[in-house]
Amino acid sequence: MAEIVFDDSTRSWLIRTAATSYALRLTDDDAPSHVYWGPALTADQLADVLNRTEERWDSFNDPNEGLDELAADGGTRYWTPALQVRFADGTRALEWRYLGHDIDGMSLRVHFRDRHYPLRITLGYHVPAGTDVIERWTELAHDGTDGPIEIIRADSATWVAPIRPDYRISHVTGGWAAESQLLREPVPHGETTFGSRRGITSHHANPWVMLDDGEATERHGEVYSAALAWSGSWRITTTRSSTGRLTVTGGFGQDGVVPRLAPGDTLTTPVFAGLYTDGGFGAASRAWHAYTLDHVLPHPGELRPVLYNSWEATGFDVTEAGQRALAEMAAALGVELFVMDDGWFGARSGDHAGLGDWQVNRDKFPGGLEPLVREVHRLGMKFGLWVEPEMVNPDSDLYRAHPDWVLHHPHRTRSELRRQLVLNFARPDVAEWAFGTLDSLVGEHGIDFLKWDMNRPFSEAGWPGAVDPDTLWVEHTRSVYAIMDRLRARHPGLRIEACSGGGGRIDLGVLARTDQVWTSDNTDALDRLVIQHGYGQVYPARAMSAWVTDDPNFVTRRSTPLRFRFHVAMAGVLGIGGDIVKWPEEDLVHAREQIALYKDIRPIVQHGRLHRLVPPATDGLSALQYVAADGGRAVVFVFRQAAHFHTRERPLRLDGLDPAARYRDEDTGKVWHGASLLAHGLFPGLPDGDFASAVIRLTKV
């Protein structure tokens, strides 16, 4: 039974989730200390593992080091700090004084104050219903009247792993068009920091980690994981000592950025959620997916529509006639959402001008957008539009009118990337302009969907004249969130896709106010197998936008069969991004067939449980499987990347099925025993040659 219990005799709290337990306590000097995280324990059982403060071995070694619930800087604490502050008189050391706690259902708030200075600290915990995820955050409040408090570092939580003989970390790395490449490697001794200093989540890392003892597999083993719900600059630091202790601390911010709390101010950090499972990496991923579907996404029960996007067909050369032709063709294929990309506004004939001037270009659309929107709706599709509201071109009416609205420092060059600058959304006037512009755009034109892009990171992140310029690093992201939230409240039918030059803004924070994310600008099907594999470690297929585009690929120039491209994209939210007006008839016929197939399996893909059967590699076979929530249907995707040294096909063992049930192949009619599919497997029947693929549909009989 899920519950939160306080034991006054030991001054400890026990948080019981659906299948796990977590515990903390107060030390003799009131500091919060970690006790336990792992398989479920009752309060009586927890008494056996309650640790007491041990005496120091000598002046250099502390047996309690690394057990802080939120590692704070001060005194003789030398562990990686999660909380560092500097008071008005220059004092930095924090001393805890416990004030009390509140338990409200599955939420816990533990309150502290510094013993002398006017800083209140609240540690927050919440367990969403039906999950083993523990959401954690920190609140800092200046409750005095004198001088600001500098916040050098304010992480959301410190997660303490149990001592194991060895540790391995899983995370993703990459770059533009090469996001989410999964790495599993030993945890180094000392401090290792993952993060982004770019003002966005970034293509180069993603704010989650998984830890195991080096023995976990897809199906077996203990896995401890944590994911940060934040879309700006962030850092996650692992610290491993020679004594065997391992912690993970994470939150927003970066070195050198030091916002200040003025009297009366409160700073609340984003959620840094943690999850334990004993079912291996697969169980960890399925638990994160279920949590995201049930407690993060705004409309999790919806089926995301099949999308068409005009970018690769037209680039900036957008005209009403050209968009109408694409829309007519898209509707004939079975597309449900038509999205017009860049080039429809201002003086936008390339990436050099027009950003910030979100008025319809009347040379391209003499009657405005209304005729095109009406036609798209008449064809039975919803209408979407690409926007990049956080950006401005120097060659724009907006910049000429408000050059002070961008991030900048006095006497420093305003660096341009993609010929654009970043608007300072932390400024209330800029934020209000952005909301008003988007609100009018959506409301006046009947826009159903926005592709919200951001094609460059921060630079010269200054705010001349602001009382505390460093707050912009946090407030810009919070402003983006607030604008999205206001737009959704004002237009309940509006749906949003998050994009940042591809997968540069994917995290639990942005997923809480968007419906899907653009996974990568790289739509090459072979590369996408790797990108989607890394993405799916934490995030669900229900939010993973995946396109079928032209051949050869726009980014890699690699050629792959249309069937292969469709099957890879059908493992997420299917989209089409090619110049379909120029597709030969045989490709259009195949596309209609594959879109119809996707609509049949879409409920399983978008709302089912993912089982990674064989991970992608540079050659050989890879496979994944989705099982419907009720277990009644399953779909298996099988891919052969390349065929080296011809070998006989081997059986593919499935997962997540009922061993006592029987399953019918919906295409061949063959009936299988669930037990044999789990123990022995089936032969996928892939066609010969490189880039072969198959989709196998199974129904419980």
Side-chain angles (χ1 to χ4, degrees):
M1 179 182 71
E3 61 179 351
I4 299 177
V5 179
F6 176 66
D7 182 354
D8 187 61
S9 65
T10 58
R11 300 208 301 170
S12 66
W13 293 266
L14 172 62
I15 302 173
R16 296 186 63 188
T17 73
T20 73
S21 291
Y22 185 94
L24 63 147
R25 70 177 183 89
L26 299 176
T27 63
D28 294 339
D29 60 358
D30 273 6
S33 178
H34 175 76
V35 173
Y36 176 81
W37 185 24
L41 291 179
T42 65
D44 290 342
Q45 294 164 342
L46 181 66
D48 294 341
V49 299
L50 271 172
N51 51 346
R52 289 294 178 184
T53 303
E54 300 180 40
E55 294 297 322
R56 294 182 68 93
W57 304 337
D58 52 48
S59 60
F60 296 100
N61 297 286
D62 182 0
N64 306 297
E65 193 174 40
L67 285 175
D68 294 304
E69 184 68 4
L70 184 73
D73 186 20
T76 59
R77 295 186 293 266
Y78 304 106
W79 202 259
T80 304
L83 178 60
Q84 288 179 296
V85 299
R86 182 185 291 113
F87 298 105
D89 64 0
T91 299
R92 291 181 56 162
L94 181 76
E95 294 188 358
W96 300 88
R97 178 163 65 87
Y98 171 62
L99 300 178
H101 71 271
D102 305 306
I103 297 175
D104 181 8
M106 289 306 297
S107 295
L108 167 67
R109 292 164 60 89
V110 188
H111 307 288
F112 301 87
R113 195 180 192 276
D114 185 84
R115 290 187 180 274
H116 175 77
Y117 293 95
L119 178 65
R120 296 174 67 95
I121 310 107
T122 296
L123 305 185
Y125 303 79
H126 175 69
V127 179
T131 78
D132 291 315
V133 172
I134 302 173
E135 297 176 341
R136 292 180 58 189
W137 67 96
T138 301
E139 295 176 12
L140 304 175
H142 189 323
D143 64 356
T145 58
D146 297 328
I149 301 172
E150 293 184 340
I151 308 301
I152 301 169
R153 181 166 182 162
D155 285 354
S156 301
T158 301
W159 294 98
V160 181
I163 292 180
R164 296 289 185 262
D166 202 357
Y167 298 100
R168 179 174 57 175
I169 189 168
S170 301
H171 63 105
V172 291
T173 187
W176 174 80
E179 302 90 334
S180 298
Q181 297 178 56
L182 179 65
L183 293 178
R184 290 205 166 107
E185 51 197 358
V187 178
H189 284 76
E191 297 181 15
T192 304
T193 298
F194 309 88
S196 167
R197 297 186 180 93
R198 299 168 185 264
I200 53 174
T201 321
S202 91
H203 308 75
H204 309 79
N206 200 267
W208 64 263
V209 294
M210 293 187 183
L211 302 171
D212 75 293
D213 63 1
E215 300 295 329
T217 66
E218 191 67 22
R219 301 185 184 193
H220 305 287
E222 293 186 308
V223 177
Y224 295 82
S225 53
L228 181 67
W230 185 246
S231 310
S233 291
W234 59 273
R235 58 193 161 195
I236 293 175
T237 302
T238 63
T239 304
R240 182 179 182 181
S241 74
S242 59
T243 62
R245 180 71 62 202
L246 174 65
T247 66
V248 176
T249 183
F252 56 14
Q254 64 191 69
D255 296 342
V257 175
V258 184
R260 294 176 290 174
L261 281 183
D265 285 351
T266 298
L267 176 66
T268 302
T269 70
V271 164
F272 191 28
L275 169 70
Y276 162 80
T277 179
D278 62 0
F281 298 113
S285 295
R286 288 186 289 277
W288 282 116
H289 298 167
Y291 163 73
T292 306
L293 287 169
D294 294 340
H295 300 285
V296 178
L297 288 168
H299 299 282
E302 290 183 354
L303 290 174
R304 298 306 305 139
V306 177
L307 171 155
Y308 177 81
N309 182 284
S310 67
W311 172 248
E312 291 197 16
T314 62
F316 297 104
D317 187 17
V318 173
T319 64
E320 182 175 339
Q323 296 297 305
R324 281 175 174 267
L326 288 168
E328 184 176 351
M329 188 68 73
L333 295 178
V335 166
E336 300 157 312
L337 167 62
F338 180 86
V339 181
M340 181 166 63
D341 210 280
D342 202 347
W344 58 268
F345 56 91
R348 193 69 167 169
S349 59
D351 65 9
H352 63 283
L355 278 178
D357 300 338
W358 298 105
Q359 298 83 36
V360 180
N361 184 312
R362 292 285 175 158
D363 292 334
K364 298 180 178 184
F365 297 89
L369 290 183
E370 290 82 356
L372 176 61
V373 175
R374 282 198 304 269
E375 175 63 9
V376 168
H377 287 162
R378 187 193 69 77
L379 290 168
M381 299 181 293
K382 293 187 175 182
F383 183 83
L385 204 58
W386 177 94
V387 292
E388 194 173 1
E390 296 159 79
M391 298 293 151
V392 65
N393 288 123
D395 185 1
S396 67
D397 293 340
L398 180 70
Y399 185 75
R400 284 185 280 271
H402 299 285
D404 56 321
W405 277 15
V406 300
L407 302 180
H408 70 283
H409 288 299
H411 317 298
R412 290 291 178 265
T413 300
R414 300 186 181 193
S415 300
E416 295 180 27
L417 294 172
R418 204 174 183 251
R419 303 185 185 185
Q420 59 196 52
L421 300 169
V422 182
L423 290 168
N424 181 1
F425 268 39
R427 289 180 54 140
D429 53 351
V430 178
E432 197 56 40
W433 163 83
F435 170 74
T437 299
L438 294 172
D439 179 47
S440 297
L441 187 65
V442 171
E444 292 175 9
H445 299 93
I447 306 300
D448 304 298
F449 178 91
L450 288 178
K451 183 182 179 72
W452 183 308
D453 206 347
M454 184 184 186
N455 274 306
R456 61 153 295 176
F458 288 7
S459 62
E460 293 86 44
W463 185 356
V467 173
D468 185 4
D470 278 0
T471 60
L472 75 84
W473 289 90
V474 170
E475 294 308 318
H476 180 104
T477 297
R478 286 190 166 154
S479 180
V480 170
Y481 290 169
I483 293 169
M484 288 180 174
D485 291 342
R486 289 176 68 188
L487 283 172
R488 300 187 75 104
R490 188 76 175 269
H491 308 281
L494 178 67
R495 300 296 178 260
I496 301 174
E497 177 177 276
C499 175
S500 180
R505 189 182 262 166
I506 299 175
D507 55 80
L508 294 175
V510 80
L511 283 172
R513 55 260 311 156
T514 59
D515 302 277
Q516 59 197 61
V517 291
W518 181 224
T519 324
S520 177
D521 281 347
N522 184 352
T523 59
D524 179 283
L526 185 61
D527 288 349
R528 269 301 183 109
L529 287 176
V530 175
I531 292 169
Q532 294 175 186
H533 178 69
Y535 165 96
Q537 300 296 313
V538 170
Y539 308 117
R542 157 63 175 71
M544 184 179 73
S545 187
W547 292 0
V548 178
T549 55
D550 288 338
D551 190 65
N553 184 263
F554 181 75
V555 172
T556 67
R557 311 311 300 169
R558 180 187 287 119
S559 291
T560 53
L562 184 60
R563 172 188 172 97
F564 189 83
R565 283 176 271 150
F566 260 102
H567 288 174
V568 171
M570 287 160 61
V573 176
L574 177 62
I576 314 296
D579 190 356
I580 51 178
V581 171
K582 297 179 181 177
W583 283 15
E585 181 60 29
E586 65 215 49
D587 285 357
L588 296 173
V589 170
H590 185 70
R592 282 192 288 270
E593 293 172 349
Q594 294 301 316
I595 290 172
L597 172 61
Y598 178 73
K599 290 179 179 178
D600 175 65
I601 64 174
R602 173 169 51 184
I604 314 170
V605 171
Q606 294 189 15
H607 295 280
R609 297 186 297 269
L610 170 65
H611 296 268
R612 294 181 288 263
L613 305 180
V614 184
T618 54
D619 57 17
L621 191 78
S622 66
L624 64 155
Q625 172 190 348
Y626 293 97
V627 180
D630 63 2
R633 295 185 72 196
V635 57
V636 183
F637 293 89
V638 189
F639 306 98
R640 182 195 299 121
Q641 291 95 298
H644 293 298
F645 305 109
H646 178 72
T647 58
R648 296 180 62 85
E649 190 173 58
R650 295 187 290 269
L652 175 68
R653 293 178 63 184
L654 305 189
D655 202 354
L657 303 179
D658 180 356
R662 301 175 75 194
Y663 294 85
R664 182 182 66 252
D665 185 317
E666 297 179 21
D667 294 300
T668 68
K670 181 174 176 57
V671 177
W672 304 81
H673 290 277
S676 67
L677 291 174
L678 295 170
H680 176 264
L682 54 74
F683 291 94
L686 288 177
D688 292 335
D690 295 346
F691 306 121
S693 59
V695 175
I696 302 167
R697 296 176 293 167
L698 300 172
T699 299
K700 196 173 183 179
V701 296

